[in-house]
Amino acid sequence: MRTQPVGRYVYWSERLVSEVVEDNGIQLDTAVKSTLKLGALGNGIDVTRADRSSTRFDVAEKLKKKLGRRLAEHGTPGPVQLVHGSGWVEVAEFQRWGARPEHSLRQRTAILHTQTHSPRGQRTDLCLFGSLKNLQGYTVPDEPVGGWVSSSAPAIEEFVASRGAGTSMSAVFDAEGIAVEALRVAMDQGVYAHPDEHRGRPETRAFTVLGFEACEYVVRIYQDVTLTPGRWDFRTEPDLAGAERIMIGAPLWMRTVRPETIRTYGGANRVVLTSRTAH
């Protein structure tokens, strides 16, 4: 008998799973005895302890089945709202800044990035934002590191907090502009040396915390943009060169069956480049 791989949810958002269930009028199978927690303490799927078969995996599988064609597969032409895929995922802590006493995102926030290519070869970058608390079995340390932080961070934060409804800086950033700025943060935040030295080496960038091979992710998309050919010049930004389609959204969950691929980049695992130059 062939042994099945052991799966692990690296990221799980109870709030977003609950919202998708509610917003789409989905009735989960009674075999999955889950309840929706509603109230001041937060929303989410609360798997009853009385029925050990009601696991995250059960909820996820039933939800995917119920969504059916509303859950777009990799390579589906845009715009799309819910996406199902797989690939290598990098996780960093999104760096916010500004003089405002309160931020739009009122928690430590992760930015998760993954990149795919459609059957026709079109490159798609997913820039996903969610609470760091939704990382499963991993605590992001408070680490004194420094590197490039985007001056567009306030606009990105406002856009994500409004779930793509727009920003007060819409006169500065149109849909493509905010998408490109989000991709810059996802791929270059924390860079402090020449971009070529960091390319493909997330362990050298400040604020990156985790990388893993996701066998599956399901994400909600706030904005799906295809860049206008010839508008953007990425010749000095090697990680962005070739960008075509950019999606901004939030993950419901990310799962791996290859836990040996999980890499942590903080602390002793962070590689410090010795030839430091300004980004």
Side-chain angles (χ1 to χ4, degrees), residues 125-142:
D125 289 272
L126 278 71
C127 304
L128 310 169
F129 296 81
S131 173
L132 278 176
K133 293 181 180 179
N134 291 333
L135 287 176
Q136 304 297 305
Y138 182 81
T139 301
V140 178
D142 289 318

Side-chain angles (χ1 to χ4, degrees), residues 2 13 19-20 42 79 87 106 109 114 146 153-154 158 163 167 180 189 224 226 253 271:
R2 186 175 180 180
S13 172
E19 285 185 10
V20 171
R106 298 182 180 180
T109 301
T114 186
E158 186 180 350
R163 300 190 177 190
T167 80
V180 167
Q189 179 185 252
D224 181 357
T226 298
W253 68 76
V271 175

Side-chain angles (χ1 to χ4, degrees), residues 53 55 71 87 115 118 125 162 181 225 271:
S53 68
T55 63
L71 188 57
Q115 184 182 113
S118 74
D125 289 272
S162 70
E181 292 303 318
V225 170
V271 175

Side-chain angles (χ1 to χ4, degrees), residues 168-200:
S168 59
M169 300 181 71
S170 57
V172 179
F173 300 107
D174 63 1
E176 287 189 38
I178 201 72
V180 167
E181 292 303 318
L183 182 58
R184 284 189 171 118
V185 169
M187 303 200 74
D188 285 343
Q189 179 185 252
V191 165
Y192 53 82
H194 191 281
D196 286 337
E197 295 186 59
H198 293 279
R199 189 176 189 182

Side-chain angles (χ1 to χ4, degrees), residues 90-112:
E90 298 288 352
V91 185
E93 182 171 2
F94 175 57
Q95 298 303 300
R96 303 175 296 162
W97 61 272
R100 291 178 298 169
E102 291 188 4
H103 286 281
S104 302
L105 301 173
R106 298 182 180 180
Q107 74 251 332
R108 295 177 70 184
T109 301
I111 178 167
L112 304 93

Side-chain angles (χ1 to χ4, degrees), residues 37 60 66 128 158 165 183 192 213 221 245 247 278:
K37 292 189 297 182
K66 294 287 186 177
L128 310 169
E158 186 180 350
L183 182 58
Y192 53 82
E213 185 69 38
I221 301 301
R245 182 181 180 186
M247 298 182 185

